[in-house]
Amino acid sequence: MKNIMLCATLIGAFNQVQAADQFIALPSYRVGPYASGGSGFYGGAIDYFNLVNANGGVNGVKILWEECETEYNPSRGIECYERLKTKNGGASMVEPLSTGIAYGVLDRLVQDKIPMTTLGYGRSDAANGKVFPYVFPLITSYWNQAAAMIKYLADKEGGYAKLKGKKIVHLYHDSAFGKEPLPVLEAQAKQYGFELIKIAVAPPGSEQQSQWLQIRQAKPDHVILWGWGVMNSVAIKTAQRNGFPREKMLGVWWAGSEEDMIPSGDAAKGYTSMTFNTPGNYPLIDDIRKKVYAAGKGNLADQARIGSVYHMRGLTAGILWVEAIRVAQDKFGKGKTMSGEQIRWGLENLNVDEARQKALGAFGMFPTIKTSCDDHEGSGAVKVQQWDGKKWIAITPTWVVGDKALTRKLVEESSAAYAAEKKITPSCMK
């Protein structure tokens, strides 16, 4: 009897320990044509979790996570979401890093009461929290990125008026991801009088000769490369073979990593891309090296990737998730495990200002973030970076913001149509 009681006590203690952990679901991908992005991003997020846990957790609450390999495949992603959502007492947050997967699980989130972040991707109209209460396209959406791209290109030309008569190619991954910026690009082409030439590339994008033949014939002033994975280095090398200057190429931030540039060799020099992280080293990254990798708990096999674009993006995601947990604890109880509903509130009330960035050792690493029911994005600011042959250098000293009046109008129109279709009454959750 004593042994049974002791066993029951130990099981109860184990369950209490497990209950104290904050579980985050990571339907990730580390194999396939997009492996470099997935491994770098999730590696950065997990490195941050390990740092937080090494420092005692969030007011004593440790972060628990589990990955499920999606291979960036929407059907696999949905399977992973369903598999992970009930594990470890229930997932309190999810991040699939895939527009296709995000679209696939979108309608399940409210019922499951699990918030989903889509950091720099996904449905841009999800910035309207009155219609999408459980979706958070944090930092900058594709629509605000596209608007910032046009602003940057206009600045290069001498102002928006100088865009009239110019030709801009949108070379895009033929998927929901690649088509997402079209409402902004089409509206601004009409507004400013430039010709928008849309050229699709079939995933994964390893063959682009016919597309670049079209580009050579069109003789555009600029090419926007809306690529992902192997498509990016193929585009850069094919551009070189066709004599198109890389200085006239501007990539989406998923076409702006070291993993895109290094395989491209000399062809990449001078190429520019958008980013929502400022390249460089930060005290936080030094802490990751000292407290996580030195302790043998680092997630990246190749330590040369520490502080790279994808790794820094994952660190940024980890920061925002943990800050949401911290904000939720401030309201619902410090030192307690937060539910998905409570973390949803935390994500909707983020305020990562410069003072908080300094305290985290990440001052200037990403734009300041302040979310609300009306704004699940929280910023909309970006930078432009250029590859000098060895590393990325930020070439816009301050954060760039495009036409937010236009993007907000599109958000309102698109989210209203979605609400009507799904019979949603837009309102703020408490």
Side-chain angles (χ1 to χ4, degrees):
M1 179 62 74
K2 284 183 178 179
N3 287 339
I4 292 172
M5 290 177 65
L6 177 60
C7 184
T9 301
L10 288 173
I11 290 171
F14 176 77
N15 287 337
Q16 286 178 350
V17 170
Q18 292 299 99
D21 290 334
Q22 188 74 57
F23 177 56
I24 298 174
L26 300 179
S28 61
Y29 45 94
R30 295 176 182 260
V31 299
Y34 311 107
S36 62
S39 60
F41 178 90
Y42 289 105
I46 290 169
D47 281 347
Y48 190 72
F49 292 160
N50 278 320
L51 179 66
V52 169
N53 287 347
N55 290 334
V58 186
N59 297 311
V61 177
K62 297 293 183 73
I63 307 297
L64 179 67
W65 65 91
E66 184 172 332
E67 297 184 76
C68 176
E69 178 61 52
T70 70
E71 298 181 14
Y72 195 72
N73 180 296
S75 60
R76 284 179 180 268
I78 294 168
E79 289 172 10
C80 281
Y81 171 80
E82 291 296 331
R83 189 183 310 163
L84 293 174
K85 73 180 185 183
T86 56
K87 286 202 166 187
N88 302 300
S92 58
M93 201 169 357
V94 65
E95 168 55 77
L97 199 67
S98 158
T99 296
I101 297 172
Y103 270 74
V105 304
L106 192 74
D107 292 339
R108 305 168 191 236
L109 301 172
V110 175
Q111 182 180 339
D112 296 335
K113 294 181 169 54
I114 300 172
M116 175 176 70
T117 61
T118 55
L119 204 78
Y121 72 95
R123 284 190 74 123
S124 299
D125 58 359
N128 185 356
K130 291 177 181 176
V131 176
F132 298 93
Y134 278 86
V135 187
F136 293 84
L138 290 174
I139 298 187
T140 308
S141 69
Y142 285 146
W143 287 355
N144 274 326
Q145 177 179 202
M149 282 176 150
I150 298 303
K151 183 180 189 305
Y152 172 72
L153 294 179
D155 288 345
K156 280 185 74 174
E157 295 287 353
Y160 281 113
K162 299 288 187 180
L163 289 176
K164 189 172 183 179
K166 301 292 184 184
K167 292 181 180 179
I168 299 177
V169 164
H170 178 58
L171 183 68
Y172 66 96
H173 190 276
D174 196 4
S175 64
F177 151 65
K179 296 169 186 174
E180 185 69 22
L182 288 176
V184 172
L185 297 177
E186 289 168 349
Q188 294 204 303
K190 185 176 180 181
Q191 182 178 2
Y192 298 117
F194 63 84
E195 182 183 352
L196 179 66
I197 303 168
K198 294 171 276 190
I199 301 176
V201 176
S206 52
E207 175 50 54
Q208 297 178 39
Q209 196 57 47
S210 64
Q211 286 88 349
W212 281 94
L213 178 60
Q214 291 178 65
I215 291 170
R216 189 168 65 186
Q217 290 170 342
K219 298 179 180 177
D221 298 280
H222 305 283
V223 168
I224 290 174
L225 173 60
W226 206 276
W228 182 219
V230 69
M231 174 180 165
N232 300 327
S233 58
V234 171
I236 290 166
K237 287 186 282 190
T238 312
Q240 183 191 45
R241 285 199 300 271
N242 283 272
F244 190 82
R246 265 67 70 213
E247 290 81 1
K248 290 188 175 184
M249 294 176 70
L250 179 61
V252 65
W253 45 56
W254 304 115
S257 70
E258 289 82 356
E259 289 82 358
D260 298 317
M261 299 302 105
I262 292 169
S264 304
D266 291 341
K269 191 172 182 180
Y271 170 83
T272 54
S273 84
M274 310 304 287
T275 181
F276 53 80
N277 291 116
T278 308
N281 196 45
Y282 298 86
L284 170 63
I285 295 174
D286 289 335
D287 282 347
I288 293 285
R289 288 191 177 97
K290 293 172 187 174
K291 296 182 179 179
V292 178
Y293 281 86
K297 294 185 177 180
N299 195 261
L300 296 179
D302 181 2
Q303 294 192 26
R305 298 180 72 194
I306 300 171
S308 65
V309 167
Y310 287 142
H311 185 253
M312 196 183 295
R313 206 164 287 168
L315 290 177
T316 302
I319 287 171
L320 298 181
W321 300 337
V322 170
E323 289 305 293
I325 296 167
R326 196 183 308 280
V327 169
Q329 283 191 16
D330 286 344
K331 180 175 175 64
F332 300 107
K334 285 189 177 181
K336 294 181 179 179
T337 305
M338 296 289 103
S339 68
E341 293 172 277
Q342 291 168 332
I343 292 179
R344 190 215 70 81
W345 187 92
L347 285 164
E348 194 169 88
N349 290 275
L350 283 173
N351 185 15
V352 186
D353 58 12
E354 291 184 351
R356 185 61 187 148
Q357 285 186 342
K358 288 176 182 176
L360 293 166
F363 176 65
M365 193 170 92
F366 54 91
T368 57
I369 308 291
K370 186 174 176 59
T371 55
S372 66
C373 171
D374 285 321
D375 183 9
H376 276 198
E377 186 180 2
S379 173
V382 297
K383 284 193 178 181
V384 182
Q385 61 183 7
Q386 187 169 46
W387 185 252
D388 71 355
K390 295 182 179 178
K391 64 183 182 301
W392 290 108
I393 297 172
I395 58 173
T396 50
T398 57
W399 296 99
V400 179
V401 178
D403 187 348
K404 290 193 79 172
L406 168 64
T407 57
R408 187 65 204 187
K409 178 175 177 286
L410 291 171
V411 165
E412 294 290 346
E413 292 172 352
S414 180
S415 60
Y418 181 87
E421 178 193 344
K422 299 291 183 178
K423 295 180 171 57
I424 297 168
T425 301
S427 63
C428 290
M429 294 185 72
K430 294 183 179 179

